[in-house]
Amino acid sequence: MEVKDSKMTVIMPVYNRGNIVKKSVDSVLDQTFKNFELLIIDDCSTDDTWEVITSFKDPRIKSYKLAKNSGAAAARNYGIDKSTSNYICFLDSDDTLERDFLKTSLDVLRDTPPRVGFMWTGRNIITGDDHQPQSWRPSGVSSYQIFLKHIRIGTGAGITIKKQVFDKCGNFNENLPAAEDTEFFFRISQQFDFTYTDRCLINIYKSGSSRLSRSYKSIAIAYNSFLKDHFGEIDKDPELKRIYYYKMMWLNFHIPDPDRAKEYYNKIPSDSILDSVKIQFIYGIYKFLPLEYASYIHGKFSS
């Protein structure tokens, strides 16, 4: 297919969002930048999502249904493979774009050098009547180090990525049960730099019903799978070692794999007595208390 430099692709995975997806689609159709394609990937919804998304008659909208329910990573990858532009962004089916999202993203990213592969915008976090603008302004020695230390974005947070990034680094890992965004950004940040704008151009709606609850077991399995590829970099930096060995310690209690948790516990560097006491306390509650109680205490202790 012909790939056009002045065109953008919006990929929207959707699953059982028939009651709200129209708002997200309308926010794309209302963009000030008009040369886009909206690829909606239905992950085998069981409600009226397919009927809703195929009711739009705009030729820029293309709707696809996966052969089986396969998850967001597979839906995104399907859209990436169908894309006909050099710039790909993602929109969750319960969020919306501000009118200048596409124009601003293209203006910022298009004339960057080849080493810059992706960008993000600021976002508005909306919970009921609460409206919180957020921007991430990272700094550090390298893109890879920044993402290992301070990842604050995901594909649903105003991300636009050059097609060359996928060509060089591959798509999302469909075999992970969670954290596929984290794995993806760890991988591409080794090859590409980034840019961003502080303008808040995506609205992310949060509620108990609209966001899946976090499964620490799935996250632990995912991290056990891909983090080994990054320990070469992590082990060079005591701060990164503290971050990840500590995280892997408590995550592995959720599988549960107490032996692996102990291995990470024994490797955590500590630069203060207070830090050491905290690590011992968290390890102890997971080792000796039922998981649900340990997790609750850990959450309160960390908040």
Side-chain angles (χ1 to χ4, degrees), residues 144-158:
Y144 187 31
Q145 281 268 333
I146 287 168
F147 273 80
L148 283 174
K149 286 186 178 182
H150 304 294
I151 187 166
R152 294 288 185 275
I153 57 172
T155 49

Side-chain angles (χ1 to χ4, degrees), residues 99-298:
R99 295 190 71 231
D100 284 340
F101 175 86
L102 292 181
K103 180 182 184 303
T104 302
S105 297
L106 185 61
D107 288 346
V108 170
L109 194 58
R110 179 164 49 188
D111 295 326
T112 54
R115 73 174 186 276
V116 176
F118 58 104
M119 68 156 292
W120 61 88
T121 75
R123 53 189 179 173
N124 297 308
I125 306 298
I126 302 170
T127 307
D129 294 329
D130 187 39
H131 184 283
Q132 294 290 334
Q134 293 183 354
S135 296
W136 184 35
R137 307 177 186 182
S139 61
V141 176
S142 70
S143 178
Y144 187 31
Q145 281 268 333
I146 287 168
F147 273 80
L148 283 174
K149 286 186 178 182
H150 304 294
I151 187 166
R152 294 288 185 275
I153 57 172
T155 49
I159 297 296
T160 302
I161 303 172
K162 292 179 180 177
K163 186 71 177 291
Q164 70 188 60
V165 172
F166 299 105
D167 295 338
K168 185 171 184 177
C169 300
N171 292 0
F172 294 93
N173 188 337
E174 298 178 23
N175 296 318
L176 296 177
E180 65 272 13
D181 284 8
T182 299
E183 188 277 334
F184 178 74
F185 284 111
F186 283 1
R187 181 158 31 100
I188 69 172
S189 64
Q190 296 175 72
Q191 303 291 330
F192 291 94
D193 206 345
F194 57 81
T195 186
Y196 61 93
T197 175
D198 286 336
R199 293 186 62 192
C200 295
L201 297 174
I202 185 169
N203 303 306
I204 299 176
Y205 296 86
K206 292 199 172 185
S207 71
S209 60
S210 67
R211 301 285 169 174
L212 294 176
S213 60
R214 175 172 294 184
S215 169
Y216 287 127
K217 179 178 180 179
S218 296
I219 295 172
I221 293 170
Y223 268 76
N224 282 336
S225 173
F226 71 77
L227 201 63
K228 61 181 181 292
D229 298 329
H230 304 281
F231 276 126
E233 186 70 19
I234 290 169
D235 286 344
K236 297 176 184 177
D237 186 328
E239 181 185 357
L240 286 176
K241 288 181 71 174
R242 281 193 297 274
I243 291 171
Y244 285 100
Y245 285 33
Y246 173 73
K247 184 169 188 171
M248 296 305 294
M249 176 199 77
W250 65 262
L251 274 176
N252 272 285
F253 277 109
H254 285 265
I255 293 181
D257 189 343
D259 291 336
R260 182 175 288 186
K262 183 178 180 180
E263 289 178 13
Y264 282 112
Y265 168 72
N266 288 331
K267 294 178 180 179
I268 302 171
S270 177
D271 61 356
S272 69
I273 295 176
L274 183 61
D275 193 38
S276 178
V277 169
K278 171 191 171 182
I279 293 166
Q280 291 179 38
F281 173 73
I282 297 301
Y283 178 75
I285 63 173
Y286 275 106
K287 182 177 181 180
F288 295 111
L289 295 180
L291 180 60
E292 61 181 299
Y293 295 117
S295 184
Y296 174 79
I297 295 170
H298 183 199

Side-chain angles (χ1 to χ4, degrees), residues 22-41:
K22 183 179 185 301
K23 180 174 68 173
S24 299
V25 174
D26 284 341
S27 77
V28 180
L29 295 178
D30 195 38
Q31 290 295 294
T32 56
F33 180 82
K34 302 300 183 183
N35 189 18
F36 64 82
E37 60 183 358
L38 171 59
L39 309 183
I40 308 176
I41 319 301

